[in-house]
Amino acid sequence: MIAIVLGTRPEIIKMSPIIRECEARNLDYFILHSGQHYSYEMDRAFFEDLELPEPKYNLDVGSGTHAGQTAKIMAGVEDVLIKESPDIVLVQGDTNTVIAGVLAAAKLHIRVGHIEAGLRSFDRTMPEEINRVVADHVSDYLFAPTETARQYLLAEGIEENKICVTGNTIVDAVLQNQELSKKKADILDTLGLAPREYVLVTAHRQENVDSPENLWNIAAGLEAVHREYSLPVIFPMHPRTRKMVERFAIPLDGISVMSPVGFLEFLQLESNARLVLTDSGGVQEEACILGVPCITLRSNTERPETIEVGANILAGTGASEILAFARQMLAQPKSWQNPYGDGIAGRMIVTICRGLSRGRKTSIKS
Ligand code: UD1
Ligand code: UDP
C-alpha cells in the first residue's frame, strides 16, 4: 500500500500525476492531506480542477508557526501511519508537510520516497531549503527531477542506489491539463486580455512578502514594468501576500490583483503571457516548460536548469533591477529545451514504488 502525503497547492498539483497513475492501475493507495492549505482557492479548487479523489484523511492543521505547524502534522501523520501501516510513503517538494511526513514515517521504519529530491538554493535562510536537506537525508528513495539534482545529492554523500532521475511531475501535470485548459478555461476573455499583451505575476516567498521593504520594492518594480510597456500586470495573489499587502499598506498602482485562480485558468494565463515575474518554484518551471520568459524575484534559485537554458533570470527584489531584467528578457530569443523531462515522471515513480512494495527491488539507481 502507498500513502501519498500532501498539504499545499503545489503538492496537490505535482502529486496529481502520481494519483492518476495509482487510480489508472487500480493500486492500493490513499491520500493523507495535512490541511496546511485549506482556503478553497488554495486547496479544494485543485481537487475539482484535476478531478482527484477525496483524501482519505485530512488533518486540518491549518496555519501556524513553523515548529507548531510541523509538530501538528507529524503527530497526525504518525497516527494515520500506525493505523494504516503502508509499505511506502510518498512526499513531494519542500514544505512543512513534507518534512513532517518524512520524519513521522522514518521513525516508524516505514520507507519514504521523496519526489523532487536534490533541489538546492544553498540558502539556509529559506525554510524550504532546511526542509529539502532534511527530507533528502532522511528519505529512503530520492526521485530527482534532473541530473543536476542527482549530482547535488551525491555531493552530499547520499548513496547512488537510493537515487533515480525521473524528470519533474510538473511536466506530466502541464501536458495532462494543457488541452483541457484550452477548452475549459476562459479567463483571458473574462479579464479582457489578449495573448502576449499582459504580464503575469505571483509572489509569496516568506523572505519577500513578510518584509515590507522587499514587498514595497517588488510592487515598485511591477509598476515600472507596467509603465514602460503599457501592459496589464495580472497578479493572482497568494493569501499570505494579500495579508502582508494589507498589513504594510503597499501601493499597487497599475497592478490587477485578484484571488488565486484554478490550475486550468493559471495554465491559460501563463501560456499566453508575454512575461512571467515570480518567486514561486513551480511557476519558474512551468514558464520554462511553456516557452514563456521568466524573471525570478529572488537572488537565488533551486531551479538553475531554467537559467542555464535561457528561460529564466534572477532579478532579486530591487525595482530598477526588475525593470532592467524585464527589458533584457523581452529582447532575448524565446526558444529553449525543457530540462524537466518528457512527462513520464509519475509513471516511472509509481512503477518503481510497486516494485519496492512487492519487495522485488532495493536499489532504484537510474
Ligand atoms: C507554503 C510553503 C511554501 C510553498 C507554499 C505554496 C512551507 C514552509 N511553506 O507557504 O514552501 O511554496 O506553501 O503555496 O511549508 N493561508 C491562507 N489560506 C491557506 C493557506 C495559507 O489564508 O489555505 C495564509 C495564512 O495567513 C497563513 C499564510 O497564508 O498564515 C502562510 O501559509 P503557510 O502554509 O504557512 O505558508 P505558505 O506561504 O503558503
Ligand atoms: N498556481 C495556480 N493558481 C495561481 C497561482 C499558482 O494554480 O493563482 C499554480 C501554478 O500553476 C503552480 C503552483 O500553483 O503549479 C505553484 O504553487 P506556489 O507558487 O504556491 O508554490 P511553489 O511552487 O513556490 O512551492
Side-chain angles (χ1 to χ4, degrees), residues 10 36-39 63 95-96 128 204-205 238-240 243:
Q36 179 172 347
H37 282 180
Y38 46 84
S39 299
S63 306
T95 65
N96 288 344
E128 291 84 1
H204 71 281
R205 292 261 86 81
H238 190 291
R240 172 181 213 123
K243 192 166 70 178

Side-chain angles (χ1 to χ4, degrees), residues 209-254:
V209 306
D210 290 14
S211 147
E213 193 191 346
N214 287 346
L215 192 51
W216 196 92
N217 279 331
I218 290 173
L222 297 176
E223 196 197 331
V225 172
H226 169 65
R227 262 193 276 111
E228 171 122 344
Y229 292 95
S230 301
L231 291 172
V233 175
I234 307 298
F235 193 163
M237 198 172 271
H238 190 291
R240 172 181 213 123
T241 315
R242 169 90 65 176
K243 192 166 70 178
M244 295 306 170
V245 161
E246 283 164 14
R247 182 174 299 170
F248 305 140
I250 303 287
L252 292 169
D253 298 329

Side-chain angles (χ1 to χ4, degrees), residues 273-291:
R274 170 100 59 99
L275 181 69
V276 167
L277 298 103
T278 191
D279 64 12
S280 155
V283 176
Q284 289 174 65
E285 292 160 353
E286 286 165 356
C288 180
I289 294 162
L290 294 165

Side-chain angles (χ1 to χ4, degrees), residues 3 5 15 87-95 97-120 130-144 153 156-164 353 356 362 364:
V5 176
M15 276 294 196
D87 300 299
I88 185 161
V89 171
L90 286 178
V91 295
Q92 191 287 331
D94 54 20
T95 65
T97 297
V98 168
I99 193 170
V102 167
L103 289 173
K107 291 194 175 185
L108 291 169
H109 306 142
I110 298 172
R111 291 172 297 168
V112 192
H114 184 206
I115 301 172
E116 204 178 68
L119 270 61
R120 294 291 180 272
I130 315 259
N131 293 345
R132 288 179 200 120
V133 170
V134 176
D136 285 339
H137 282 265
V138 176
S139 294
D140 301 281
Y141 308 113
L142 301 163
F143 300 107
L153 294 170
E156 288 178 14
I158 292 178
E159 298 95 304
E160 207 177 0
N161 64 5
K162 287 182 167 181
I163 312 169
C164 180
C353 289
L356 292 168
T362 48
I364 66 163

